[in-house]
Amino acid sequence: MANVKQAKRPLSPHLQIYRPQLTSITSILTRITGNALIVGTMLAVWWLLAAATSADMFATADAVATSWFGDLVFTGSLWAVWYHYLAGLRHLYFDAGKGLDIPTAEKLGWGVIGGSVVLTVITIILVQ
């Protein structure tokens, strides 16, 4: 083969260069909330398994689930469910080829964030 001269190409800018955009943050947050839901699910499954096993195990699991930590996990999971749901609806809207311009995409991103918070608060009020 011929001796090919390698061109000096610039490296792709990294996170230190780019300003975080709302669309990228909401996309990353969708992935994070999807994975974070595993923690709430594991706590709920542990609680149910402990209830089916023995009174002592249930007392321990119930103490954790009803503690400040359990409240934090379940409240965070509730928000994550609403966020993930609304982000999925937004994604379906994008899949239809609509809302892909930057101003609309940013409005939808703020709508997903605000809507998930509002729906979480409404759900907590209704459940209590």
Side-chain angles (χ1 to χ4, degrees):
M1 279 179 79
N3 194 0
V4 178
K5 185 176 178 182
Q6 294 290 333
K8 284 286 229 175
R9 297 182 181 176
L11 295 176
S12 178
H14 202 265
L15 295 175
Q16 294 90 352
I17 308 280
Y18 283 125
R19 178 183 60 88
Q21 300 168 345
L22 183 62
T23 52
S24 63
I25 291 171
T26 55
S27 177
I28 293 166
L29 199 53
T30 301
R31 289 163 174 78
I32 290 171
T33 56
N35 288 307
L37 285 170
I38 295 170
V39 177
T41 302
M42 286 179 16
L43 183 58
V45 168
W46 176 48
W47 185 80
L48 290 169
L49 286 175
T53 304
S54 71
D56 290 336
M57 289 186 78
F58 178 71
T60 303
D62 193 51
V64 173
T66 57
S67 69
W68 66 269
F69 176 74
D71 288 343
L72 182 68
V73 168
F74 286 135
T75 303
S77 293
L78 176 63
W79 173 77
V81 165
W82 281 120
Y83 181 87
H84 209 73
Y85 174 72
L86 293 175
L89 291 178
R90 182 182 71 142
H91 191 73
L92 285 174
Y93 190 66
F94 288 163
D95 286 346
K98 299 178 181 180
L100 296 174
D101 58 295
I102 294 173
T104 304
E106 287 186 352
K107 288 176 189 171
L108 290 171
W110 283 116
V112 168
I113 293 170
S116 63
V117 170
V118 168
L119 288 170
T120 300
V121 170
I122 290 171
T123 304
I124 290 171
I125 291 169
L126 290 176
V127 169
Q128 296 206 358

